[in-house]
Amino acid sequence: MKKMGDMLLRRDAFSEIVMGNTAIVRAMVEAGTRVVSSYPGSPTPEIALAIQSIPKNDRPFYFEFSTNEKVATELAYGAAVNGHLSTVFFKSVGLNVAADTFVQLSLMNIIGGMVVVLGDDPGANSSQNEQDNRHYAHMSYTPMLEPADPAEVYHFYREAARLSQTQGMPVILRLTTHVCHAKERVTFGAWNPVEPDDTPQFDPSNGPYIPLTTQAIEMKRTSMARLEQVRQRAEETALNRVVDNGNTARGVITMGLPFLSLMDELDGAAAKPDILKLAYVHPLPRKTIVRFLSSHREVKVLEELDDLVENQIKAMAFDLQLPVKIIGKTRSEDWIGEYTPDKVRHVLSATWPDMVQAAATLEAEDPAPHRPPQMCPGCGHRSAFHAIKQALAPTDITVADIGCHTLGFLPPYEMGQLLMCMGASTAMASGLRLFNTSRKVVAFMGDSTFFHAALPGIINAIFNRHPITLILMENGTTAMTGHQDHAASGRNFNEVTDKIPVRQVLEGLGVQHIAEVDTYQQAKLAELLTEMIAIDEFSVVIARHPCMLKFTREQRKNPTYQQKHVTIDQRVCERIHTCIETFGCPTFTRDTEGNVTINTDLCIGDGSCIQTCPTKAIAPAGKKGKGGDA
């Protein structure tokens, strides 16, 4: 059986079917990357999984999950100005967290080179928005490349690394969800490792590295001059592609995933347009684009999300008075969602109806049934929400944060009526408590988020005496994005000495009212919460239970593992349906006659549901319920 770690360190050239998130790691290896940092977030976590498939002692670079994206960026930058090629990667909205540092990077002379890998999320598949991070490239004067498939991910990373090292400036590699997760056969080059020279190379004379008022303007001039040099590289690179279909009447300028979707939809079409596929989306290769515009009567600009490339191309045509019609976005839907093949078909048919016919609808003719997101069987958050809802009044306000527990806003729990971004719940809750004496305010937060971005809001609540209650839902891992470690879980999840206990942090900050309870102890949790919200000061309930998905996966590695489940004694069950309508575990199934049964494929036998049944009809399999044998 092939091992990913062995494949990524092969010395000879080879080809393999890999996803984009794996191809980039091989590119890191071949490029001589020495430092990689990250904070987990979809669609990029598989990059870390590929890295971690290489035994730590065999990795040719240092890798860490940092506390948050800002810290990860600063670590990679520090390594880069010390002479090491570095990479930082995270999801789209992670750049917002890193922005305070990131927007300064192009002002600096980054002697080792630094690649910033962004996992953008058109369609908001796993994000609270679908922001177009190409805006950040423009704002920060940072070059950006955008690959379309795993092979291009590999080649574009190597290009980005070379460019960054040559120009001494950061380079963004913008991946999108489909590009991260797509699979194809990629031909990789040989890897001839050399002993790295890790002599510290930081020298203030390479700077300045302090962008104060007296320096910042000149540093900006240098950054803009470098960007123009990059533009020349963008003109000359073979990574740009022209698909010549011999059509001087119509052309399309595109990039990334929209290019692949376009090629799919043009398969079998009559009079296919010529296509200019861009590799660099900032800065744009003006001369290449102008040549393409000059040789066509109509040009469609096909890009996901915002109209950044469109507006620049229109400006070029206007300045040069080119006799070409440029067609960009025309409907509000053109600014929304991923440019998958069906979306591109609708865009093309609206532009040139004689080229491709519009599908009847964007939806499939026989769509799959809607499957709402839900917490896993046995999830401690479900048990917590079931208890918490009983302790709160209907008028009390609950504030959500980012994590698995965000799903608590769904029925039947309806916990979390506001949501913004990681770590925002405490400060929002504090604002909701101002001039409010009649409604209690409760904030939720996970332990990973606690260290990621929540500490300033918590400190503010303590310092300014905001009388809110924080429920810190501790499951010992960054569960939502794939069970990555964090400060409270310890490196590799189980190194106890590495842990930074959240209670000690809270006590160190001066929190006077702290309670701890396992979420499976529902009655105790409800009781403690009732006590805490009655205190007119900042208080914390640490609601703790291991992530059961992670726990069960680890248990299944044991050869003697046997899956457990619960059963329902139908003689005792009175069909009150608390298990389904209030507790809401997905392992319960209700038929048309109201009978409740257990899906044994889903049930893990954790027993958190047993205490929720008012008639005691639920029992572990093989044990007696209230009415006899289960």
Side-chain angles (χ1 to χ4, degrees):
M1 181 177 179
K2 295 180 181 178
K3 292 185 177 180
M4 183 184 297
D6 294 341
M7 179 267 290
L8 290 170
L9 295 184
R10 283 181 62 171
R11 302 294 181 89
D12 56 319
F14 67 99
S15 66
E16 187 62 73
I17 297 175
V18 296
M19 65 192 306
N21 281 343
T22 304
I24 198 171
V25 177
R26 173 64 184 194
M28 291 177 188
V29 171
E30 292 185 28
T33 309
R34 288 294 289 150
V35 175
V36 182
S37 56
S38 176
Y39 183 82
S42 297
T44 64
E46 294 85 3
I47 299 175
L49 289 177
I51 292 172
Q52 291 174 325
S53 73
I54 305 172
K56 188 173 182 179
N57 292 335
D58 296 336
R59 286 177 206 157
F61 50 75
Y62 170 85
F63 170 68
E64 77 169 35
F65 280 122
S66 302
T67 310
N68 65 20
E69 294 88 351
K70 183 175 187 292
V71 174
T73 301
E74 291 158 353
L75 180 132
Y77 166 68
V81 296
N82 205 23
H84 306 301
L85 175 60
S86 68
T87 295
V88 60
F89 66 90
F90 38 72
K91 71 177 296 173
S92 57
V93 293
L95 187 52
N96 300 334
V97 180
D100 203 25
T101 297
F102 170 80
V103 294
Q104 315 298 330
L105 293 180
S106 69
L107 302 178
M108 309 302 174
N109 182 20
I110 302 179
I111 61 173
M114 179 176 176
V115 181
V116 180
V117 179
L118 294 179
D120 268 14
D121 194 13
N125 299 279
S126 57
S127 308
Q128 59 265 47
N129 64 29
E130 56 171 9
Q131 70 185 42
D132 191 332
N133 277 325
R134 294 180 299 169
H135 288 285
Y136 271 110
H138 286 255
M139 180 173 65
S140 62
Y141 304 97
T142 305
M144 175 181 278
L145 288 82
E146 184 170 343
D149 54 42
E152 287 193 347
V153 170
Y154 164 72
H155 290 292
F156 282 30
Y157 177 89
R158 298 190 64 184
E159 168 82 357
R162 286 191 295 266
L163 180 66
S164 181
Q165 291 174 310
T166 302
Q167 296 296 331
M169 66 190 307
V171 177
I172 303 169
L173 185 63
R174 180 181 187 251
L175 313 182
T176 57
T177 302
H178 272 74
V179 176
C180 286
H181 296 156
K183 285 187 176 183
E184 72 168 337
R185 182 170 293 279
V186 178
T187 300
F188 298 109
W191 176 49
N192 300 305
V194 295
E195 190 66 26
D197 179 8
D198 287 338
T199 304
Q201 298 180 40
F202 175 71
D203 188 338
S205 65
N206 290 326
Y209 291 113
I210 302 178
L212 297 178
T213 305
T214 54
Q215 303 285 351
I217 299 301
E218 192 56 39
M219 293 169 82
K220 180 177 178 180
R221 289 193 178 98
T222 301
S223 175
M224 294 177 70
R226 286 174 175 163
L227 198 63
E228 280 306 307
Q229 293 176 6
V230 173
R231 192 187 304 278
Q232 184 58 40
R233 171 69 181 172
E235 299 283 4
E236 299 168 353
T237 181
L239 297 179
N240 293 327
R241 294 169 56 185
V242 175
V243 180
D244 186 356
N245 289 314
N247 191 339
T248 58
R250 293 172 175 174
V252 177
I253 299 177
T254 188
M255 70 296 295
L257 175 68
F259 168 75
L260 295 184
S261 297
L262 175 65
M263 297 299 286
D264 277 355
E265 290 305 315
L266 290 178
D267 188 26
K272 299 178 183 178
D274 293 344
I275 302 168
L276 170 59
K277 180 192 174 296
L278 301 173
Y280 283 73
V281 294
H282 184 67
L284 293 177
R286 288 198 189 100
K287 294 178 182 177
T288 302
I289 291 171
V290 167
R291 282 197 301 270
F292 191 81
L293 294 176
S294 300
S295 59
H296 296 86
R297 293 196 294 272
E298 292 184 352
V299 171
K300 171 69 177 178
V301 180
L302 194 67
E303 59 182 320
E304 283 181 312
L305 301 183
D306 297 341
D307 50 357
L308 274 77
V309 172
E310 172 190 333
N311 289 335
Q312 292 179 82
I313 290 176
K314 285 179 175 177
M316 294 177 199
F318 178 84
D319 290 343
L320 297 173
Q321 298 184 349
L322 299 179
V324 57
K325 179 181 179 181
I326 299 172
I327 308 166
K329 298 179 184 293
T330 58
R331 305 168 298 177
S332 60
E333 284 300 310
D334 293 346
W335 275 263
I336 299 171
E338 297 173 284
Y339 270 47
T340 51
D342 53 357
K343 175 88 169 188
V344 169
R345 171 172 284 273
H346 274 71
V347 172
L348 277 182
S349 64
T351 305
W352 296 315
D354 58 323
M355 183 179 296
V356 294
Q357 294 182 350
T361 174
L362 280 175
E363 299 294 332
E365 292 182 6
D366 186 19
H370 177 64
R371 182 182 183 275
Q374 56 191 333
M375 290 173 280
C376 302
C379 179
H381 298 337
R382 174 182 294 105
S383 193
F385 287 135
H386 182 71
I388 291 166
K389 190 164 187 176
Q390 298 173 51
L392 297 180
T395 56
D396 291 339
I397 303 171
T398 55
V399 185
D401 218 301
I402 301 295
C404 295
H405 57 87
T406 306
L407 296 175
F409 87 93
L410 294 169
Y413 322 108
E414 296 175 333
M415 293 282 108
Q417 298 152 308
L418 300 89
L419 176 70
M420 188 62 67
C421 56
M422 290 190 74
S425 62
T426 307
M428 288 194 296
S430 297
L432 284 160
R433 193 64 170 84
L434 295 173
F435 312 112
N436 171 14
T437 59
S438 61
R439 304 174 69 186
K440 301 296 185 181
V441 182
V442 174
F444 296 98
M445 182 184 299
D447 45 353
S448 179
T449 301
F450 176 81
F451 289 101
H452 174 281
L455 291 175
I458 291 173
I459 292 170
N460 183 75
I462 298 166
F463 179 71
N464 289 301
R465 304 180 185 278
H466 294 295
I468 64 170
T469 298
L470 171 64
I471 301 179
L472 185 54
M473 308 185 80
E474 183 180 6
N475 60 13
T477 185
T478 312
M480 184 173 64
T481 52
H483 304 128
Q484 296 85 4
D485 52 9
H486 60 69
S489 61
R491 292 191 294 271
N492 299 323
F493 308 119
N494 54 10
E495 298 180 23
V496 177
T497 56
D498 289 333
K499 292 182 180 180
I500 303 177
V502 292
R503 177 164 191 141
Q504 290 185 19
V505 176
L506 290 166
E507 290 173 338
L509 294 174
V511 180
Q512 299 295 315
H513 309 286
I514 305 174
E516 296 182 78
V517 62
D518 189 293
T519 61
Y520 277 17
Q521 296 178 276
Q522 296 172 14
K524 184 177 179 181
L525 173 55
E527 178 185 347
L528 289 174
L529 179 57
T530 301
E531 293 174 4
M532 288 296 177
I533 61 177
I535 300 172
D536 198 33
E537 295 181 22
F538 180 73
S539 60
V540 179
V541 176
I542 301 175
R544 180 181 292 120
H545 196 80
C547 170
M548 294 305 289
L549 177 61
K550 176 178 176 293
F551 177 81
T552 304
R553 284 177 175 173
E554 291 173 348
Q555 291 293 306
R556 284 175 174 157
K557 295 177 183 177
N558 189 328
T560 62
Y561 170 80
Q562 290 184 344
Q563 183 162 336
K564 301 176 182 178
H565 60 86
V566 299
T567 59
I568 296 177
D569 189 334
Q570 299 297 341
R571 296 168 297 176
V572 177
C573 178
E574 297 180 9
R575 296 174 178 78
I576 300 172
H577 298 141
T578 299
C579 54
I580 290 178
E581 296 178 358
T582 305
F583 188 63
C585 181
T587 62
F588 293 107
T589 302
R590 177 170 51 186
D591 63 22
T592 55
E593 297 179 356
N595 297 311
V596 179
T597 56
I598 300 292
N599 184 330
T600 55
D601 290 333
L602 293 177
C603 183
I604 62 172
D606 58 281
S608 59
C609 56
I610 293 175
Q611 61 196 297
T612 68
C613 180
T615 63
K616 308 300 181 185
I618 306 175
K623 292 188 178 181
K624 294 181 180 180
K626 178 180 175 182
D629 292 336

